[in-house]
């Protein structure tokens, strides 16, 4: 492989056009204005000091700009990863402590190593196990959990940390009398401003307006009773090796793998969506490697796990990003904010950051997908509901694992009981169609013609045998020939070949002829190597069902 395959910037950076810098700078500035308040808010969601979110918004996007294949993808902290970090670390350390921060950085290191390893091994296909109904159910439930987790900041009361929304609501209902009216008013006011600006001026930097406005209100009215962000250290930490804590690696591995896969799923989804608009090419395995390197590099500068975010990437694209230079501009502007603007964050109320999180994530609750699936596919609707309920009731990681397991279970059931059709000829043609769906089709006397629409393997061999036995027993009249339409069969394993061999031995004893129609070369190759093809004879193999008729 060429070096430019590992570092895509080597292919495009030497040919960078100066006329692209204006749009790239404008997009990078717009994204940075959006990212600074979001990064602090998402760090708070993860149980981390706000500056850790800013650290995760400098080095990771710098690294991704050189290694990634998506031009507008904006890498940094996101709500989903932040919640997963909080869930993973809550049992191990108190939120906000030095030990907690160290574990978050270690988690970024592990996520980075996992993603880079999966990228090198070309394992991007693993996200295929996260089916769309599972993703929709998980995202909607996680959005509710994330939003409700901010109630304590919105109400100004201390609630027990939990990923169970029912526990959070129960504690909030019991302690609502202790809520701070001023804090609640600030938070609700911020939510109103965010919602109105989203409707009236979608491209306006809403989060920045809320951050600046709430800070001015706190300073102008001297609201000392409101919980504030407080002192934010200036500058980026010196590079250092994260505390390894090898005894915790087995404990954190499941969470790191979940964050790695969910983060990649989010990034690759938005990358492909934006690439389709511009006819760009996205390399999933290189994206895995790039995101892993971004997380790994960020861990050496005190960052926690991040990925490419939906909203920021869309804003980056809409603002005119033409190349990954926009990401470089964003990272450098966030660094400038860390160096020179941190004193402005001291009087920022936490309720404003909570409002930013709640408005952002409640928009992820997908109400259209359940309605669509109810109309289109009830089994997939059930998968969505199961994943949603499991995520709410059992927890974030348990919910997505339940959804994946259920989706795999459905797949196994479908593959072990594949669709089949008894065929008949359409009048006046050589075409054969399912007799159930085409009443005008006519069965051929003495022939049972069956089409199986799946590969044959050990998991569905018994279904093949039992289905043929039942159809033979139900056949009206004298049956002389069984024709298997294999035009939809793409593969055949040794168990399926053995079952067909058994049929080839039994049928002649019963006066039946077995014929195969439309078999593909991979299927024929297995039959030839096993000797089945020779046993049946050349007369048993035909290009079409029409040719196979006696």
């Amino acid at each position: 492989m060429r070096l430019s395959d590992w570092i895509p910037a080597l292919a495009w950076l030497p040919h960078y056009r100066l006329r692209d810098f204006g749009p790239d700078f404008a997009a990078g500035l717009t994204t940075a204005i959006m990212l600074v308040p979001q990064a602090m808010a998402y760090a708070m969601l993860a149980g981390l000091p706000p500056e850790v979110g800013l650290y995760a918004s400098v080095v990771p996007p710098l690294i991704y700009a050189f290694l990634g294949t998506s031009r507008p993808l904006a890498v940094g902290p996101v709500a989903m990863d932040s919640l997963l970090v909080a869930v993973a670390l809550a049992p191990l350390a108190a939120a906000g402590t030095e030990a907690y921060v160290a574990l978050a950085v270690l988690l970024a290191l592990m996520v980075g190593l996992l993603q880079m390893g999966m990228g090198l091994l070309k394992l991007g296909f693993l996200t295929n196990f996260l089916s769309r109904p599972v993703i929709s159910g998980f995202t909607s439930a996680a959005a509710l959990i994330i939003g409700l987790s901010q109630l304590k900041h919105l109400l100004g009361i201390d609630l027990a940390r939990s990923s169970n929304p029912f526990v959070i609501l129960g504690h909030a209902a019991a302690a609502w009398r202790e809520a701070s009216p001023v804090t609640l008013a600030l938070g609700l006011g911020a939510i109103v401003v965010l919602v109105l600006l989203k409707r009236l001026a979608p491209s306006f930097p809403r989060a920045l307006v809320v951050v600046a406005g709430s800070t001015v209100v706190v300073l102008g009215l001297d609201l000392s009773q409101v919980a504030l962000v407080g002192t934010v250290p200036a500058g980026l930490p010196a590079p250092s090796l994260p505390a390894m804590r090898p005894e915790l690696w087995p404990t954190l591995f499941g969470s790191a793998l979940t964050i790695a896969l969910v983060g990649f799923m989010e990034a690759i989804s938005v990358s492909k969506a934006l690439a389709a608009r511009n006819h760009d090419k996205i390399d999933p395995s290189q994206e895995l490697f790039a995101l892993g390197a971004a997380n790994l590099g960020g861990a050496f500068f005190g960052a926690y796990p991040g990925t490419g975010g939906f909203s920021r990437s869309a804003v980056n694209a809409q603002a005119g990003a033409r190349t990954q230079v926009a990401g470089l501009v964003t990272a450098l502007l966030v660094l400038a904010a860390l160096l020179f603007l941190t004193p402005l964050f001291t009087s920022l109320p936490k309720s404003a950051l909570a409002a930013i999180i709640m408005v952002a994530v409640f928009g992820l609750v997908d109400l259209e997908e359940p309605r669509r699936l109810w109309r289109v596919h009830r089994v997939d609707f059930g998968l969505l509901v199961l994943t949603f309920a499991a995520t709410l009731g059992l927890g974030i990681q348990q919910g997505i694992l339940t959804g994946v397991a259920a989706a795999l279970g459905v797949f196994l059931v479908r593959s072990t009981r594949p669709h089949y059709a008894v065929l008949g000829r359409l009048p006046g043609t050589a075409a054969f169609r399912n007799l159930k769906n085409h009443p005008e089709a006519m069965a051929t006397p003495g022939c049972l013609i069956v089409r199986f629409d799946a590969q044959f393997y050990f998991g569905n061999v018994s279904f093949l045998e039992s289905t043929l036995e039942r159809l033979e027993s139900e056949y009206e009249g004298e049956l002389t020939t069984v024709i298997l339409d294999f035009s939809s069969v793409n593969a055949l394993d040794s168990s399926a070949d053995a079952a067909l061999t058994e049929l080839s031995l039994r049928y002649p004893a019963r006066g039946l002829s077995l014929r195969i129609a439309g078999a593909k070369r991979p299927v024929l190759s297995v039959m030839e190597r096993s000797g089945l093809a020779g046993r049946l004879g050349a007369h048993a193999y035909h290009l079409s069902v029409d040719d196979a008729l006696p």
Side-chain angles (χ1 to χ4, degrees):
M1 293 182 66
R2 297 169 299 176
L3 186 59
S4 60
D5 292 330
W6 296 105
I7 308 176
L10 294 178
W12 62 263
L13 196 55
H15 307 289
Y16 186 76
R17 300 171 300 183
L18 287 179
R19 66 174 179 269
D20 289 335
F21 183 72
D24 280 340
F25 182 84
L29 174 62
T30 304
T31 306
I33 290 172
M34 181 181 185
L35 177 56
V36 169
Q38 270 194 354
M40 293 191 293
Y42 291 150
M44 187 174 73
L45 169 61
L48 296 163
E51 62 269 18
V52 179
L54 295 175
Y55 300 159
S57 306
V58 177
V59 174
L62 282 174
I63 293 175
Y64 178 83
F66 289 96
L67 300 180
T69 59
S70 174
R71 291 186 290 173
L73 189 70
V75 172
V78 296
M80 195 71 72
D81 281 6
S82 299
L83 179 64
L84 290 170
V85 168
V87 170
L89 302 185
L92 303 177
T97 61
E98 288 186 11
Y100 189 95
V101 174
L103 288 175
V105 175
L106 174 60
L107 201 54
L109 178 77
M110 295 177 66
V111 169
L113 290 174
L114 282 170
Q115 289 180 326
M116 288 182 72
M118 289 190 291
L120 290 172
L121 295 173
K122 309 293 184 183
L123 298 181
F125 70 89
L126 288 176
T127 56
N128 294 337
F129 292 111
L130 297 171
S131 67
R132 182 167 176 170
V134 170
I135 293 171
S136 178
F138 171 72
T139 302
S140 295
L144 292 177
I145 294 172
I146 293 169
L148 293 175
S149 72
Q150 299 305 297
L151 272 180
K152 62 180 181 180
H153 300 297
L154 191 69
L155 299 174
I157 54 180
D158 188 22
L159 297 177
R161 193 174 185 86
S162 174
S163 61
N164 189 314
F166 305 108
V167 172
I168 296 172
L169 287 173
H171 289 170
W176 70 271
R177 293 183 179 86
E178 303 171 15
S180 165
V182 176
T183 300
L184 181 59
L186 271 174
L188 291 178
I191 290 174
V192 170
V193 170
L194 288 166
V195 172
L196 286 178
L197 285 178
K198 184 177 182 179
R199 292 182 178 178
L200 300 177
S203 59
F204 202 74
R206 304 181 292 277
L208 184 65
V209 170
V210 165
V211 166
S214 60
T215 301
V216 169
V217 170
V218 167
L219 291 173
L221 301 179
D222 191 21
L223 302 178
S224 57
Q225 71 272 43
V226 174
L228 305 175
V229 168
T231 303
V232 176
L236 197 65
S240 61
L241 182 68
M244 290 292 100
R245 302 291 301 276
E247 72 279 6
L248 290 178
W249 283 57
T251 304
L252 292 174
F253 179 81
S255 298
L257 182 60
T258 301
I259 294 171
L261 290 174
V262 171
F264 173 63
M265 175 203 70
E266 182 170 350
I268 199 66
S269 297
V270 68
S271 294
K272 287 184 175 180
L274 295 175
R277 300 178 186 176
N278 303 316
H279 307 289
D280 291 338
K281 183 179 180 181
I282 300 298
D283 183 343
S285 295
Q286 180 63 26
E287 286 297 289
L288 253 179
F289 181 82
L291 291 170
N295 278 311
L296 182 63
F300 286 89
F301 289 87
Y304 78 105
T307 189
F310 284 103
S311 57
R312 288 195 307 272
S313 300
V315 167
N316 197 31
Q318 290 169 3
R322 294 185 179 178
T323 71
Q324 288 89 328
V325 168
L328 294 175
V329 171
T330 297
L332 293 175
L333 289 175
V334 174
L335 178 60
L338 262 171
L339 291 172
F340 306 113
L341 302 181
T342 53
L344 301 179
F345 304 143
T346 303
S347 299
L348 172 61
K350 290 185 176 180
S351 59
L353 295 180
I356 292 172
I357 293 173
M358 295 178 83
V359 171
V361 299
F362 283 147
L364 297 177
V365 177
D366 191 349
L367 299 178
E368 178 55 34
E369 185 67 4
R371 288 196 288 263
R372 187 184 75 85
L373 291 179
W374 179 257
R375 298 191 307 269
V376 175
H377 205 290
R378 298 290 173 86
V379 173
D380 283 351
F381 173 81
L383 280 176
L384 186 151
V385 172
L386 174 64
T387 306
F388 179 84
T391 304
L392 285 183
L394 302 178
I396 296 291
Q397 293 187 40
Q398 294 87 341
I400 196 167
L401 288 175
T402 299
V404 170
L408 289 175
V410 169
F411 168 76
L412 288 175
V413 169
R414 289 171 177 168
S415 66
T416 56
R417 300 182 62 83
H419 178 266
Y420 71 93
V422 178
L423 306 181
R425 186 198 296 270
L426 293 177
T429 73
F432 288 78
R433 294 293 184 269
N434 190 338
L435 290 171
K436 286 185 178 180
N437 300 331
H438 297 269
E440 71 277 17
M442 300 178 62
T444 302
C447 288
L448 173 62
I449 308 169
V450 187
R451 188 190 71 227
F452 288 95
D453 299 323
Q455 65 171 328
F456 273 131
Y457 73 111
F458 64 91
N460 57 20
V461 165
S462 60
F463 179 79
L464 161 68
E465 295 174 329
S466 61
T467 299
L468 286 176
E469 288 178 5
R470 180 175 55 79
L471 293 175
E472 292 165 20
S473 65
E474 294 174 353
Y475 189 85
E476 297 180 359
E478 183 182 358
L479 180 62
T480 60
T481 306
V482 175
I483 300 174
L484 299 181
D485 182 356
F486 269 22
S487 58
S488 297
V489 178
N490 296 317
L492 198 73
D493 75 354
S494 60
S495 299
D497 179 80
L500 290 173
T501 300
E502 181 65 24
L503 287 178
S504 71
L505 296 174
R506 289 205 315 260
Y507 275 6
R510 296 169 49 196
L512 295 178
S513 171
L514 175 63
R515 301 188 181 189
I516 308 292
K520 297 181 173 67
R521 171 42 57 186
V523 173
L524 286 173
S525 295
V526 173
M527 294 179 176
E528 288 168 355
R529 290 194 297 269
S530 71
L532 174 59
R535 185 176 298 106
L536 287 175
H539 67 279
Y541 295 91
H542 304 272
L543 292 177
S544 67
V545 172
D546 190 51
D547 292 338
L549 293 176

